Structures are given as structure tokens and as C-alpha cells.
Amino acid sequence: MPRSLPRTLSGLPVRRLTRDDLIPCADLSEDRGWPRDEHRWGLLLAAGKAYGIDDPEGKGLIATCVVTSYGPDLAVIGMLLVAGRYGRQGIARHLMHQVIESAGGASLILYATPEGRPLYEKLGFSAVGRTQRVSGHFRPPAQPDSGGTGVQPAPAGAAGPTVRPATAGDLPAMIRLDSEASGVDRMQLLARLPAFADHLRVAEDGGEIVGYAALWPSSESHVVGPLIARNTTTAKLLVLSLAGATDRPLRADIHAHHAELLDWFEQCGLEPGSSTTVMSLGNRAPVGDWAQRFAPLSMATG
């Protein structure tokens, strides 16, 4: 049974979270049935502004929310969690009001679960897209086929993109490509990818970086994200390279308008799972080139 709050919502102070709050954040994730993902929480606390509400009974956190800002014009809201023991008492709405106010005039984007969508709609968010989660053990296609559902890296010296491990020198080109796709400068996030990801790959064509992707650990799986590429063929090449680097099941949240890539994942053994709605406050159109945005790093960062 949910516990009643010992004080009014207005009496629950919202504070900034720090790296010292990593374990309570992971505990709250686990309380809600999510993976603890301490690794991801470390990134979120470093790259974004995290807010939380302490349990009045002194038992950790009862709510969290993370805002990852990309300059003054865009921010992504994620990890809105409320402890199950304090559910359905308006805490999420209370925290969101303060988070929205703290964002000033920035456009706000979030990835809503079916359970969270009604709250966001009441707060003025509107649907602007959708993601589809796929997961499972990846089975690479045996050969290319005329329908384009299989793809193999081009041999050395042949025309077309090739995939290789990213180096420190690739970061400026990755940032330029990412800015074209996302419409904002996400340097503070991309600069942390080499330390965060188990594997980081770039696709190169004629000396130009035309895609990049990361593979990072979550529970017993490896997550593909972000996945940014000039076209679907390049996205497939990046996934093939990353899938070959792990024996764990793969997981990815693919923007649903990339139907060809989703069909390819299914043919490679990954099954569709949960879906999220991409929402924007005030029905503001998403910025950037979404044709090049195949998967976010996570739904908390966009």
C-alpha cells in the first residue's frame, strides 16, 4: 500500500543531486523495476542536471528527474521516477513543474512510457514521434540480398563506407555530424562516450565520418546508442561491427520512422518490445535531421 506523505507537496524540497547520490538513484530505479544501471546514472549525473526529493523518513530518494541541456535552446527530460511506496500522490507532477520552470525558455523533449504519457499531456507536452525497443541475441545476415536486408562491410579499397574503432581525433568530426542530425551541439555528451561505452565505432566514406555508434552495458545486455548515420546502410554497418564485439544480448530504442532498420533487426533475431512516445512541450517541432537519428544514447539523454 502506498504511504501517505507526512507533509504537503509544497513542503517537499527539491534539491540538485550529485555524484554522491548515485547509489540512492540506482536504488530508486530498482524500486521501480528498472535495471540499477549505476554506470548510466554516473553519466547522467555528470552530463546533466539531476533533481531529487529525499524520503521524509530518511530512506533514500522518493523521486528523481534528470535534465540534459544542449545549449540554451534544447533540453531532454528523463529518469522521472517516484518510489512505489509514495505513488499516486502528485509527486511526479510536483517535481515536473519545478523542472520545467528551471529550464527557462528552452524547448523540452522527453520519451514517455505509456504509463507516463497522460501526465505529460496534462503538462502541455504533445507527441512528435515514437521509438520502438528491440532486443535479443543478434544473428548477422549470412549474405547481402537484392532486397537490401543483408549488408556486409565493403572490402578494403572498395567504394562505400567502412567501420573502424573511433579515436580521439575523430571527436570533432563526430560532433559536426551529430550537430547536423540533432540540430544542437552535444559536445559535453559525446566527449564522455569514450569512457562510458565499451565500444565506440565510426563509419568513414572517402575520408569523411558519415556515422558513429556506441555500445554500452546495461544489466545483462549491451545497448546500441547513440546511433547516428547518413543512411540506413551505414547504420547497419555500424550495428554489425558492434554486435560482433559482444556475446551479450543487444538492445536498442529505434526511432520508429526507420522501418527498414527495424525490419532488419527482426530478421537478425531481435524482437520488438516496449514503445515510447517522443514528446515536446508546447508542440514545438523537433530540431535537426531526424533521418540521420536512428537511436538515442538512452531515453534520458535523447
Side-chain angles (χ1 to χ4, degrees):
M1 291 288 293
R3 301 180 192 174
S4 298
L5 289 168
R7 65 189 73 168
T8 63
L9 286 175
S10 60
L12 289 176
V14 176
R15 66 174 178 89
R16 282 285 300 274
L17 303 179
T18 70
R19 177 78 185 188
D20 292 338
D21 294 298
L22 189 151
I23 298 301
C25 288
D27 289 344
L28 184 56
S29 290
E30 194 170 52
D31 174 84
R32 299 305 298 159
W34 293 16
R36 289 184 60 84
D37 268 353
E38 293 179 22
H39 183 60
R40 179 175 56 160
W41 269 113
L43 175 71
L44 295 174
L45 291 168
K49 294 179 181 179
Y51 300 88
I53 299 174
D54 292 307
D55 190 334
E57 298 181 359
K59 299 178 181 179
L61 294 166
I62 64 169
T64 60
C65 188
V66 178
V67 181
T68 306
S69 297
Y70 303 115
D73 299 324
L74 179 68
V76 178
I77 296 176
M79 303 308 288
L80 178 64
L81 299 172
V82 175
R85 62 189 181 277
Y86 287 113
R88 299 187 179 279
Q89 297 185 63
I91 296 174
R93 179 190 290 270
H94 170 67
L95 183 52
M96 278 294 295
H97 276 303
Q98 297 203 37
V99 166
I100 292 171
E101 184 177 352
S102 72
S107 296
L108 297 177
I109 297 289
L110 56 80
Y111 290 68
T113 63
E115 295 77 17
R117 181 171 175 172
L119 168 63
Y120 300 130
E121 289 176 336
K122 291 175 183 177
L123 292 170
F125 285 83
S126 300
V128 294
R130 187 174 64 86
T131 65
Q132 176 64 59
R133 175 162 293 186
V134 293
S135 60
H137 285 280
F138 186 88
R139 299 190 303 269
Q143 296 179 1
D145 62 42
S146 59
T149 56
V151 61
Q152 296 291 331
T162 56
V163 175
R164 59 172 174 80
T167 68
D170 294 321
L171 184 59
M174 290 169 57
I175 291 172
R176 287 194 295 271
L177 178 66
D178 187 84
S179 296
E180 179 183 327
S182 65
V184 292
D185 183 351
R186 303 198 299 174
M187 180 177 64
Q188 86 275 18
L189 185 67
L190 269 63
R192 291 180 167 88
L193 279 181
F196 174 72
D198 284 349
H199 300 279
L200 183 60
R201 301 283 195 265
V202 294
E204 194 172 31
D205 191 359
E208 179 186 10
I209 301 296
V210 294
Y212 79 89
L215 190 73
W216 54 272
S218 173
S219 188
E220 301 300 318
S221 300
H222 261 127
V223 179
V224 177
L227 176 56
I228 303 292
R230 290 278 172 85
N231 53 49
T232 304
T233 296
T234 302
K236 292 177 182 179
L237 288 172
L238 286 161
V239 172
L240 279 170
S241 178
L242 292 173
T246 181
D247 293 327
R248 295 184 184 185
L250 289 189
R251 191 181 84 216
D253 293 294
I254 304 298
H255 288 290
H257 58 276
H258 291 294
E260 180 185 344
L261 186 65
L262 285 168
D263 289 343
W264 180 76
F265 269 122
E266 187 172 352
Q267 293 169 21
C268 293
L270 273 67
E271 298 182 355
S274 58
S275 177
T276 59
T277 304
V278 186
M279 306 189 78
S280 173
L281 184 61
N283 201 27
R284 300 176 185 175
V287 297
D289 181 3
W290 282 63
Q292 299 185 68
R293 297 169 67 174
F294 288 84
L297 186 153
S298 77
M299 291 183 291
T301 61

